[in-house]
Amino acid sequence: MKYSWNVACEVLRVASPLQGAFREAIVDFMFNRFYIPKGWKLYWSANSTHKNPEFFPEPNKFDPSRFEGSGPTPCTFVPFGGGPRICPGKEYARLKILVFMHHLVKRFKWEKVIVDEKIVVDPMPVPAKGLPVKLYPHKP
Ligand code: HEM
C-alpha cells in the first residue's frame, strides 16, 4: 500500500495533527545566526517545517508524489517528531490509518455532505463540522 501511505503522509504534511512540541537546549549553540543559550525552551514546529518551499516546492499543493523514491530530505517531514522522543505510536498509527483507508476504499463510495467544509485549528486541525459523509456500499 505504498501509494496509500504516500497519500496519508501528504495529509500529515499539510495538516499535521500535532503542530510541534517543546525542547530544552542542553548546550549553548548557534542556529540560523541566532545564539541559543543552554536552558532555553524551544518550540519546533511541524507545520512551518512542512510548509518550507525549500524542501516542499509549492507547499500548499496536495501532491503525494513528494513521498516517492527516497522522499523528503531527512528531518524535514516530522509529523511524528524526531530524535529520542519520536512518537512511539508511529507504526501503530500507520497500521490503523492504512487498515482504515483499505476498508473505506474497498467497501464504499462516499461523498462529503459539506463540500467546502473548513478546517479549524483548536489546537489540532479538525474539520469544522466533523466531516459528515454519505457512504454508498459497493454492490457485492
Ligand atoms: C497520526 C497519529 C499520531 C501523530 C501524528 C503523533 C504525533 C506525535 C508527535 C509529534 C509527538 C512528539 C514527538 C517529539 O517530541 O519528537 C508524539 C509523541 C507521543 N506519541 Fe504520538 N502521534 C500519533 C499517534 C500516536 C499513537 C497511536 C500513540 C499511542 C498508541 C502515540 C503515543 C505517543 C506518546 C506516548 C508520545 C510521547 C513520547 C515521548 O515524549 O517520549 N502517538 N506523537
Side-chain angles (χ1 to χ4, degrees):
M1 296 183 75
K2 177 74 182 129
Y3 182 72
S4 302
W5 185 238
N6 289 353
V7 171
C9 285
E10 183 65 342
V11 172
L12 289 168
R13 183 189 72 81
V14 172
S16 297
L18 213 99
Q19 304 282 300
F22 290 96
R23 292 287 191 268
E24 183 176 320
I26 55 173
V27 291
D28 300 339
F29 66 98
M30 296 290 293
F31 180 75
N32 268 2
R33 294 185 295 146
F34 288 97
Y35 172 68
I36 313 289
K38 179 182 172 182
W40 271 33
K41 296 286 183 298
L42 305 163
Y43 183 79
W44 62 265
S45 161
N47 196 41
S48 42
T49 308
H50 292 167
K51 298 287 169 65
N52 185 338
E54 186 183 342
F55 301 110
F56 299 99
E58 294 188 76
N60 292 323
K61 184 176 166 197
F62 188 85
D63 179 8
S65 74
R66 301 176 195 276
F67 295 89
E68 284 170 7
S70 53
T73 306
C75 303
T76 60
F77 177 61
V78 285
F80 296 100
R85 304 302 293 261
I86 194 169
C87 174
K90 179 175 180 286
E91 288 306 312
Y92 176 65
R94 188 166 104 104
L95 194 69
K96 291 268 285 190
I97 291 167
L98 288 174
V99 168
F100 173 77
M101 285 170 82
H102 170 81
H103 287 296
L104 185 65
V105 171
K106 293 289 277 189
R107 294 187 187 182
F108 302 99
K109 275 189 183 308
W110 70 93
E111 64 187 35
K112 288 171 73 176
V113 174
I114 307 165
V115 177
D116 57 352
E117 186 176 1
K118 301 278 177 287
I119 299 287
V120 292
V121 178
D122 183 27
M124 309 273 205
V126 288
K129 306 284 183 193
L131 192 62
V133 291
K134 285 184 184 163
L135 293 174
Y136 304 98
H138 292 311
K139 293 195 174 69

